[in-house]
């Protein structure tokens, strides 16, 4: 049995990286899998309050991410969209996984190091334990496939290690309950060939991120056509025209990024984009890119606005999704608790 699970944090500023690296992939996978897409509000509060915006900011960002899923084309009736905090299984399983994962494993997580910054002693315990909650998100549903951008690869490996260690530690108990191969599948990351890592428009060596202080570094899903055009026009580039072959992009991070964005938006490969646009100056190519980006993003933007105007409707979708999510996760939790040896399940 195969199932897709993925999550997006409601921390404001959903951007083109989230959209192309994750959300459009969520949409495509609906054809072939049962999918669960989660707005991970429990994860959002691991960082400083100013990043997630306090209670009002959290509510509004949670609705914004939900609106983005829907506007991009996730079908909330055939599949499941919900917010993490409505389903207790996530927190409960995260606790069990905190006792399976090793401190040494978490110490290797590069995202913690980046997010905690210099004052690691001051980071929340939640930020440190973040990847065990992420493993719980996936494994509470025994999901097998997880579409993510490249930055989540290490967290996915950790989730596999946790699943594997649980399966080994509780092999006998699981086998007695009808799971001779262990209770958890080892979830596989689905990382796209294009758009797995969209970079900042200001610096081709840095990934596009919600937390970059410069708004010019990213295209937000809430940006209007003028903002999109301006950000692309001002994007950092080098003076050379576009090459006609991929090798010509090797030492040119910014050019590679813009070609990659074009390719992802046009559903082409970078090689195909170069075939068509090789030799073009950046003035010309950026105009074509801006036009394409606006053409693809404007309808999403408009639909998000329409949905956000009715928060009650969005909240109802989340609550219905949470109910259906619990129907899958709760029976799994009972088995997991029984496997561990907790009485009463
Ligand atoms: P988050 O909220 O930071 O990002 C959401 C998704 O967007 C992808 N992404 C990018 N892809 C390409 N280029 C970029 N510049 C870029 N920036 C972000 C991320 O890889 C991600 O797929 N820990 C996760 C959320 C999470 C989760 C999960 C994911 C929680 N539980 C369970 C999968 C399964 C995160 O912080 O994503």
């Amino acid at each position: 049995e195969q199932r897709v699970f993925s999550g997006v944090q409601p921390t404001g500023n959903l951007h083109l990286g989230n959209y192309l690296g994750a959300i459009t992939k969520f949409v495509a996978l609906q054809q072939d899998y049962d999918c669960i897409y989660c707005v991970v509000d429990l994860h959002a509060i691991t960082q400083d309050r100013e990043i997630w915006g306090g209670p009002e900011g959290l509510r509004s960002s949670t609705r914004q991410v939900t609106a983005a899923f829907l506007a991009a084309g996730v079908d909330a009736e055939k599949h499941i969209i919900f917010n993490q905090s409505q389903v207790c299984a996530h927190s409960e399983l995260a606790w069990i996984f905190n006792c399976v994962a090793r401190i040494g494993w978490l110490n290797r997580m590069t995202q913690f190091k980046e997010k905690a910054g210099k004052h690691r002693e001051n980071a929340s315990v939640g930020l440190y334990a973040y990847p065990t909650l992420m493993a719980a998100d996936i494994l509470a549903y025994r999901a097998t496939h997880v579409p993510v951008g490249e930055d989540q690869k290490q967290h996915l490996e950790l989730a596999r290690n946790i699943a594997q260690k649980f399966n080994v530690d509780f092999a006998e108990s699981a086998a007695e309950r009808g799971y001779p191969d262990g209770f958890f599948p080892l979830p596989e990351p689905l990382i796209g060939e294009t758009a797995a890592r969209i970079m900042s428009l200001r610096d081709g060596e840095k990934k596009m991120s919600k937390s970059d202080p410069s708004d010019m570094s990213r295209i937000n899903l809430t940006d209007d056509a003028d903002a999109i055009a301006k950000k692309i026009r001002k994007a950092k580039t080098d003076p050379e025209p576009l090459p006609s072959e991929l090798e010509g992009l090797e030492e040119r991070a910014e050019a590679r990024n813009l070609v990659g964005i074009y390719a992802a938006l046009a559903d082409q490969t970078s090689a195909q984009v170069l075939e068509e646009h090789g030799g073009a100056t950046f003035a010309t190519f950026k105009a074509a890119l801006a036009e394409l980006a606006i053409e693809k993003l404007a309808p999403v933007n408009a639909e998000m606005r329409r949905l956000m105007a009715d928060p009650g409707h969005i909240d109802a979708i989340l609550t219905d999704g949470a109910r259906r999510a619990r129907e899958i996760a709760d029976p799994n939790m009972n088995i997991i608790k029984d496997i561990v040896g907790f009485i009463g399940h």
Side-chain angles (χ1 to χ4, degrees):
E1 209 185 318
Q2 303 201 317
R3 192 192 309 280
V4 163
F5 183 98
S6 196
V8 174
Q9 291 197 65
T11 36
N13 295 336
L14 266 188
H15 55 71
L16 193 63
N18 302 128
Y19 182 69
L20 295 176
I23 298 173
T24 58
K25 309 285 194 288
F26 297 179
V27 176
L29 287 162
Q30 298 183 104
Q31 293 272 343
D32 300 321
Y33 297 89
D34 287 330
C35 304
I36 304 177
Y37 297 126
C38 184
V39 188
V40 291
D41 48 8
L42 298 172
H43 276 114
I45 65 167
T46 57
Q47 284 184 273
D48 288 349
R49 187 186 158 111
E50 60 193 52
I51 292 177
W52 53 272
E56 267 319 308
L58 184 59
R59 271 188 281 271
S60 141
S61 301
T62 300
R63 292 180 184 127
Q64 194 200 93
V65 174
T66 311
F69 288 175
L70 295 167
V74 176
D75 183 337
E77 285 177 14
K78 288 212 186 88
H79 302 274
I80 296 178
I81 298 178
F82 74 106
N83 58 313
Q84 195 183 24
S85 62
Q86 286 206 66
V87 179
C88 309
H90 296 251
S91 313
E92 286 193 321
L93 186 55
W95 179 258
I96 295 175
F97 286 171
N98 279 337
C99 303
V100 173
R102 306 290 91 186
I103 288 177
W105 298 0
L106 289 175
N107 283 344
R108 285 197 283 277
M109 294 295 115
T110 56
Q111 188 163 302
F112 172 75
K113 292 177 201 169
E114 279 161 27
K115 288 195 173 168
K118 282 190 212 108
H119 306 288
R120 206 172 290 180
E121 298 280 304
N122 248 337
S124 75
V125 175
L127 186 66
Y128 185 69
Y130 179 116
T132 61
L133 177 58
M134 181 163 160
D137 296 340
I138 300 163
L139 293 167
Y141 303 90
R142 304 173 85 208
T144 49
H145 294 82
V146 185
V148 283
E150 190 153 283
D151 60 339
Q152 296 301 316
K153 204 171 159 187
Q154 195 184 32
H155 288 157
L156 253 294
E157 270 158 32
L158 188 86
R160 291 168 65 89
N161 289 339
I162 289 174
Q164 170 104 49
K165 183 164 191 299
F166 183 100
N167 286 347
V168 170
D169 289 354
F170 296 100
E172 215 173 304
S173 182
E176 282 165 15
R177 282 158 185 81
Y179 299 92
D181 302 322
F183 186 67
F184 292 117
L186 304 187
E188 277 178 40
L190 297 176
I191 298 178
E193 304 223 332
T194 56
R197 195 173 168 79
I198 302 279
M199 309 309 279
S200 156
L201 299 179
R202 307 300 306 162
D203 178 352
E205 307 290 339
K206 256 171 50 184
K207 89 176 174 194
M208 186 176 285
S209 129
K210 290 171 188 169
S211 56
D212 194 311
S214 165
D215 195 56
M216 292 299 285
S217 71
R218 67 180 158 263
I219 293 174
N220 302 304
L221 287 191
T222 50
D223 284 344
D224 61 19
D226 288 347
I228 294 173
K230 181 172 163 204
K231 286 175 178 179
I232 292 178
R233 197 166 61 241
K234 300 218 160 175
K236 187 176 166 201
T237 44
D238 56 51
E240 302 296 318
L242 281 185
S244 328
E245 314 232 323
L246 278 182
E247 297 85 75
L249 288 177
E250 258 160 35
E251 305 284 304
R252 302 171 65 187
E254 283 83 13
R256 189 167 59 238
N257 188 38
L258 294 185
V259 170
I261 291 173
Y262 191 106
L265 286 168
D267 208 7
Q268 294 179 337
T269 62
S270 290
Q272 285 171 322
V273 175
L274 291 181
E275 253 170 57
E276 197 183 330
H277 295 272
T281 63
F282 271 106
T284 310
F285 182 66
K286 280 176 165 181
L289 177 57
E291 193 182 330
L292 177 65
I294 291 164
E295 178 196 317
K296 296 287 176 180
L297 297 178
V300 179
N301 180 312
E303 179 64 1
M304 280 175 71
R305 274 174 211 273
R306 195 185 68 77
L307 290 162
M308 295 280 282
D310 187 356
H313 177 64
I314 295 188
D315 297 0
I317 288 173
L318 291 173
T319 300
D320 178 63
R323 181 184 55 75
R324 290 188 287 135
R326 281 193 292 270
E327 282 172 7
I328 303 169
D330 287 357
N332 284 343
M333 275 318 293
N334 281 329
I335 299 168
I336 294 162
K337 287 179 185 172
D338 188 41
I339 287 174
V340 173
F342 296 135
I343 286 175
H345 311 280

